[in-house]
Amino acid sequence: MEPQNLTAISEFFLTGLSDDPELQPILFGLFLSMYLVTVLGNLLIILAVSSDPHLRTPMYFFLANLSLADIGFSTTTIPKMLVNIQTHSKSISYAGCITQVSFFFLFGCLDNLLLAVMAYDRFVAICHPLNYPVMMNPCFCGLLVLVSFFSSLLESQIHCLMVSQLTFCTNVEIHHFFCDAPQLFHLACSDTSIDTILMYFIGAVFGGIPLSGILCSYTRIVSSILRVPSTDGKYKAFSTCGSHLSVVCLFYGTGLGVYLSSSISPSPRKGAVASVMYTVVTPMLNPFIYSLRNRDIKRALWGMIRRTV
C-alpha cells in the first residue's frame, strides 16, 4: 500500500472494546456511570479541600490537584467513547486524535509526578516534623505543582510532535477506545524505530524518576517509623500515608498489569480492555480511597453536605 502524507488523513477509526451491538448499551451505561462517579467524587474532594480551613495544608493541596488531574485524565478518553457508542460511529478526526494523545500524556504524567510530590510531602512530615512548616511552605508547594505541570506538558508535547511526524497507509483503524500513541506507531508506514526508542526513553525518565522518588521516600519513612518505640506511635505515623500508598499501588499496579498483559497477549482488543483499569477505574477509586480512610476529608464532606441541605 502506498503511504499517504499524515496531513491528508482526515480521521481515524476507533474499534472500541467490543463490536457486539448488544453490548453497546451496556458499555454506554457502565462507562457513563463510572465517568459521572469519577467527576463527582473528585469534585467533592476539591470542594471539600477548598471550603474547609482545616484542610489548608500541603497534603490536601496536592490531593486537590491530583483530583483535578484525575478528572482531566478521564475526560480525555471516556466522553469521546460515549459519543461514538451513542452515535454508532467509530471515527475520530485527525486533530481530535492528536489532541487526545497530547492530553492523555499530560494528565497521565501529571498524576505520576503528583504522586511523587505527595510521597515527598509524607517523607518530610514523618521524618522531619519540626521543619515541616518551613520546608513545605505555600510557595514551595505551588512551585512543586507548577514544575509537575510543565514537566507533564513537555512530555505530552514531545509525544504529540512524534505522532504528528508519522505517515500512514490506507489502514487507519486503531484497536483501542482512544488514540494510543503505541497503536499509532504500529499503524505508521514510516520507520518508527527511533520514535519507539525515544518513547521508551521518555517513559523511563518521566515514569522511572518519580517512581524512584516514591520508593526512596517510603524507604526513609519505614525506617523512621520502625524507630518509633510505641505501637500506637507507629500506627499513627503510618496511617498518615496509608491512603497515598494505596493510590500509588493502584496506579502503578494497574499500569504494570496493562504492560504485562499486552506483552503476553498479542491481541490489541485485550490490551484495550486491560487499559480500562488505569484510565477509568483508578481515577474513579481515588476519591473513595482518600475519603473512606481519612477522617478530615469525611468531616469536611459531611459539613459541606449539611451546609448545602
Side-chain angles (χ1 to χ4, degrees):
M1 289 183 292
E2 290 295 326
Q4 54 183 358
N5 192 282
L6 186 63
T7 55
I9 296 175
S10 60
E11 61 183 8
F12 295 93
F13 294 95
L14 302 171
T15 61
L17 297 175
S18 174
D19 294 323
D20 188 351
E22 295 182 357
L23 283 179
Q24 300 310 307
I26 299 174
L27 289 174
F28 181 84
L30 178 63
F31 279 88
L32 177 61
S33 301
M34 289 194 292
Y35 178 66
L36 292 177
V37 169
T38 300
V39 173
L40 179 61
N42 283 288
L43 276 178
L44 284 175
I45 294 291
I46 295 172
L47 290 174
V49 171
S50 59
S51 63
D52 193 329
H54 297 95
L55 300 183
R56 306 285 173 79
T57 63
M59 180 176 71
Y60 295 112
F61 171 70
F62 296 135
L63 176 58
N65 282 277
L66 181 67
S67 295
L68 189 61
D70 281 339
I71 292 174
F73 195 46
S74 296
T75 303
T76 300
T77 58
I78 301 179
K80 178 57 182 174
M81 183 182 69
L82 294 175
V83 169
N84 283 2
I85 292 175
Q86 188 67 16
T87 59
H88 306 287
S89 171
K90 295 184 177 182
S91 65
I92 181 172
S93 67
Y94 163 66
C97 188
I98 298 298
T99 302
Q100 200 172 62
V101 169
S102 178
F103 279 104
F104 179 81
F105 281 102
L106 171 65
F107 291 116
C109 183
L110 185 58
D111 257 356
N112 188 28
L113 293 175
L114 286 175
L115 287 174
V117 168
M118 293 171 76
Y120 176 73
D121 172 73
R122 292 299 84 207
F123 159 70
V124 176
I126 293 174
C127 299
H128 304 283
L130 298 179
N131 296 326
Y132 181 74
V134 177
M135 295 177 67
M136 301 302 293
N137 61 78
C139 291
F140 182 63
C141 292
L143 179 62
L144 288 175
V145 172
L146 284 176
V147 170
S148 299
F149 174 78
F150 284 110
S151 299
S152 303
L153 183 63
L154 174 63
E155 190 208 15
S156 72
Q157 293 309 300
I158 292 174
H159 280 92
C160 188
L161 180 62
M162 288 193 296
V163 170
S164 66
Q165 300 302 311
L166 298 176
T167 54
F168 293 89
C169 299
T170 55
N171 178 25
V172 288
E173 191 174 76
I174 302 173
H175 297 283
H176 219 301
F177 64 92
F178 64 90
C179 282
D180 189 32
Q183 287 279 336
L184 292 173
F185 289 150
H186 180 71
L187 289 177
C189 289
S190 54
D191 182 22
T192 60
S193 55
I194 296 178
D195 292 315
T196 303
I197 293 172
L198 183 59
M199 181 179 67
Y200 282 113
F201 174 75
I202 294 171
V205 172
F206 286 94
I209 292 178
L211 180 58
S212 299
I214 292 171
L215 293 175
C216 181
S217 295
Y218 273 103
T219 300
R220 299 288 298 275
I221 288 171
V222 171
S223 176
S224 178
I225 290 176
L226 290 177
R227 290 197 295 267
V228 177
S230 66
T231 305
D232 291 340
K234 291 179 181 178
Y235 175 78
K236 185 177 180 181
F238 189 75
S239 64
T240 62
C241 53
S243 297
H244 175 259
L245 188 59
S246 300
V247 171
V248 167
C249 293
L250 183 64
F251 182 83
Y252 285 101
T254 53
L256 181 62
V258 170
Y259 174 77
L260 292 177
S261 66
S262 61
S263 300
I264 296 172
S265 174
S267 172
R269 181 62 59 79
K270 291 183 179 178
V273 173
S275 66
V276 170
M277 286 301 298
Y278 75 90
T279 57
V280 181
V281 176
T282 299
M284 181 184 69
L285 292 181
N286 284 354
F288 292 99
I289 293 173
Y290 275 103
S291 60
L292 293 176
R293 297 177 58 92
N294 192 300
R295 294 178 182 177
D296 293 332
I297 291 289
K298 285 191 286 189
R299 188 189 67 247
L301 288 174
W302 280 115
M304 188 172 59
I305 292 172
R306 282 195 297 267
R307 288 194 299 270
T308 304
V309 174

